[in-house]
């Protein structure tokens, strides 16, 4: 009887080990697949600015005209590549825990008040009305102040401006309900195609698009935003209507654009 029990225990241990090895193998295979997706996307995103650099240098070498326009194209393409590399590094650092975040009460009033300083000039260049609702009563949330301001909000507002046409509108607002606070960035831009919406927060899928004024992007902005928000213990949701979706009358939809809402844990006071 004891021998049977011992044999059963030994068999159970072996099964557990096999299951563990299988799980590890599956995780490694999934990680490998994600890495392959990531590399394909990076290769795709970098190939465009590299093509610009090659064509610009080719034209500059064979032309007797002023080379400054071609040099400007090279500089812009190089900046695009640099931006992609920086976003990839930051995304990897956040996911792997290499970046240490200090969660403490952060003022949403201050975060929203800083947005015009960073984006008013960009909005003016596209004649976009940028509105940031000022909070009469401040709301405090648990977050890392630098990451919330420079990674989350800056990425969301930057995208809103990027995908809004000349003369459009971008609005940033915030509020609180119970023990949660929310930040909302909405625009009447071109929206996001339905085919991209399920993948918009996944770095391993190519979602990069040109802006309405041919602005470039890295494709890592939204995955980075989601990663930071989840590190804060919050969540993010998105609603969008693609301008390419025609209404029944064949016209552009009146409600085209995107609304992104970030929900964070609320802190009662600055010293909580």
């Amino acid at each position: 009887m004891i021998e049977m029990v011992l044999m059963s225990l030994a068999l159970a241990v072996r099964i557990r080990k096999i299951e563990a090895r299988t799980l590890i193998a599956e995780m490694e295979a999934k990680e490998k697949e994600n890495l392959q997706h990531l590399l394909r996307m990076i290769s795709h995103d970098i190939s465009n600015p590299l093509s610009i650099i090659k064509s610009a240098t080719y034209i500059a070498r064979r032309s007797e005209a002023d080379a400054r326009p071609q040099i400007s194209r090279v500089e812009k393409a190089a900046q695009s590549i640099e931006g992609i590399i920086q976003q990839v590094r930051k995304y990897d650092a956040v996911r792997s825990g290499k970046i240490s975040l200090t969660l403490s009460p952060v003022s949403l009033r201050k975060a929203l008040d800083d947005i015009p300083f960073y984006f008013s000039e960009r909005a003016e260049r596209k004649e976009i009305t940028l509105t940031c609702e000022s909070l009469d009563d401040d709301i405090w949330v648990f977050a890392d102040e630098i990451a919330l301001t420079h990674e989350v909000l800056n990425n969301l507002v930057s995208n809103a401006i990027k995908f809004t046409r000349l003369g459009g509108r971008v609005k940033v607002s915030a509020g609180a309900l119970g023990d949660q606070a929310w930040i909302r960035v909405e625009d009447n831009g071109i929206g996001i195609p339905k085919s991209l919406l399920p993948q918009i927060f996944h770095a391993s899928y190519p979602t990069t698009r040109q802006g309405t004024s041919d602005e470039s992007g890295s494709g890592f902005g939204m995955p980075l935003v989601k990663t930071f928000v989840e590190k804060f213990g919050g969540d993010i949701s998105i609603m969008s209507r693609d301008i390419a979706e025609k209404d029944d009358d064949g016209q552009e939809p009146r409600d085209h654009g995107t609304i992104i809402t970030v929900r964070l844990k609320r802190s009662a006071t600055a010293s909580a």
Side-chain angles (χ1 to χ4, degrees), residues 253-268:
R254 295 180 181 84
D255 59 345
H256 62 80
T258 301
I259 301 174
I260 298 179
T261 304
V262 173
R263 284 169 289 272
L264 299 171
K265 293 178 182 178
R266 190 178 179 186
S267 169

Side-chain angles (χ1 to χ4, degrees), residues 11 122 126 160 223 241 264:
L11 181 60
R122 282 183 57 185
K126 296 181 72 172
R241 180 83 187 275
L264 299 171

Side-chain angles (χ1 to χ4, degrees), residues 50-64:
L50 280 178
S51 296
I52 293 172
I53 290 173
K54 289 171 68 177
S55 67
T57 52
Y58 178 86
I59 293 170
R61 283 176 180 171
R62 285 157 179 76
S63 175
E64 296 180 0

Side-chain angles (χ1 to χ4, degrees), residues 5 51 74 77 94 125 179 193 266:
V5 171
S51 296
V74 169
V94 174
R125 284 201 298 266
D179 61 352
R266 190 178 179 186

Side-chain angles (χ1 to χ4, degrees), residues 105-158:
V106 177
S107 164
L108 286 190
R109 175 191 286 168
K110 182 179 184 301
L112 265 63
D113 287 348
D114 285 345
I115 289 174
F117 172 78
Y118 292 109
F119 291 101
S120 58
E121 186 177 338
R122 282 183 57 185
E124 287 171 5
R125 284 201 298 266
K126 296 181 72 172
E127 300 176 13
I128 290 172
T129 301
L130 175 61
T131 305
C132 295
E133 289 190 350
S134 182
L135 298 172
D136 294 330
D137 297 318
D138 204 353
I139 300 171
W140 295 80
V141 296
F142 285 109
D144 180 280
E145 184 173 6
I146 294 175
L148 177 63
T149 301
H150 295 285
E151 303 301 340
V152 176
L153 287 178
N154 279 13
N155 264 304
L156 294 180
V157 177
S158 177

Side-chain angles (χ1 to χ4, degrees), residues 190-201:
I190 59 175
I192 302 170
K194 285 183 178 180
S195 60
L196 290 184
L197 271 176
Q199 318 298 346
I200 202 72
F201 294 118

Side-chain angles (χ1 to χ4, degrees), residues 37-270:
H37 274 298
L38 193 60
L39 289 174
R40 281 197 293 269
M41 190 180 74
I42 294 170
S43 299
H44 172 270
D45 289 347
I46 288 180
S47 65
N48 290 330
L50 280 178
S51 296
I52 293 172
I53 290 173
K54 289 171 68 177
S55 67
T57 52
Y58 178 86
I59 293 170
R61 283 176 180 171
R62 285 157 179 76
S63 175
E64 296 180 0
D66 188 355
R68 280 178 294 182
Q70 303 307 325
I71 292 174
S72 178
R73 292 180 67 205
V74 169
E75 288 177 341
K76 188 174 180 180
Q79 288 170 359
S80 177
I81 293 174
E82 184 181 26
I84 292 170
I85 293 171
Q86 287 176 348
Q87 290 281 53
V88 170
R89 286 175 174 170
K90 192 170 293 182
Y91 178 74
D92 177 65
V94 174
R95 288 198 64 192
S96 62
K98 294 175 184 176
I99 290 181
S100 178
L101 299 178
T102 302
L103 302 189
S104 60
V106 177
S107 164
L108 286 190
R109 175 191 286 168
K110 182 179 184 301
L112 265 63
D113 287 348
D114 285 345
I115 289 174
F117 172 78
Y118 292 109
F119 291 101
S120 58
E121 186 177 338
R122 282 183 57 185
E124 287 171 5
R125 284 201 298 266
K126 296 181 72 172
E127 300 176 13
I128 290 172
T129 301
L130 175 61
T131 305
C132 295
E133 289 190 350
S134 182
L135 298 172
D136 294 330
D137 297 318
D138 204 353
I139 300 171
W140 295 80
V141 296
F142 285 109
D144 180 280
E145 184 173 6
I146 294 175
L148 177 63
T149 301
H150 295 285
E151 303 301 340
V152 176
L153 287 178
N154 279 13
N155 264 304
L156 294 180
V157 177
S158 177
N159 271 0
I161 294 173
K162 176 181 175 182
F163 294 111
T164 297
R165 296 188 293 191
L166 291 174
R169 301 185 306 275
V170 173
K171 179 182 176 182
V172 186
S173 57
L177 182 62
D179 61 352
Q180 280 198 327
W182 52 265
I183 307 168
R184 185 166 294 133
V185 179
E186 51 189 301
D187 63 66
N188 65 339
I190 59 175
I192 302 170
K194 285 183 178 180
S195 60
L196 290 184
L197 271 176
Q199 318 298 346
I200 202 72
F201 294 118
H202 297 280
S204 55
Y205 292 89
T207 58
T208 308
R209 297 181 295 154
Q210 293 292 105
T212 56
S213 295
D214 293 327
E215 301 99 323
S216 61
S218 67
F220 287 90
M222 294 306 290
L224 191 62
V225 166
K226 186 174 188 290
T227 300
F228 272 115
V229 169
E230 290 179 345
K231 292 284 187 182
F232 301 158
D235 64 80
I236 184 170
S237 61
I238 183 167
M239 295 189 300
S240 190
R241 180 83 187 275
D242 185 4
I243 200 168
E245 298 175 25
K246 302 299 182 182
D247 280 336
D248 294 337
D249 58 3
Q251 301 298 313
E252 291 181 354
R254 295 180 181 84
D255 59 345
H256 62 80
T258 301
I259 301 174
I260 298 179
T261 304
V262 173
R263 284 169 289 272
L264 299 171
K265 293 178 182 178
R266 190 178 179 186
S267 169
T269 64

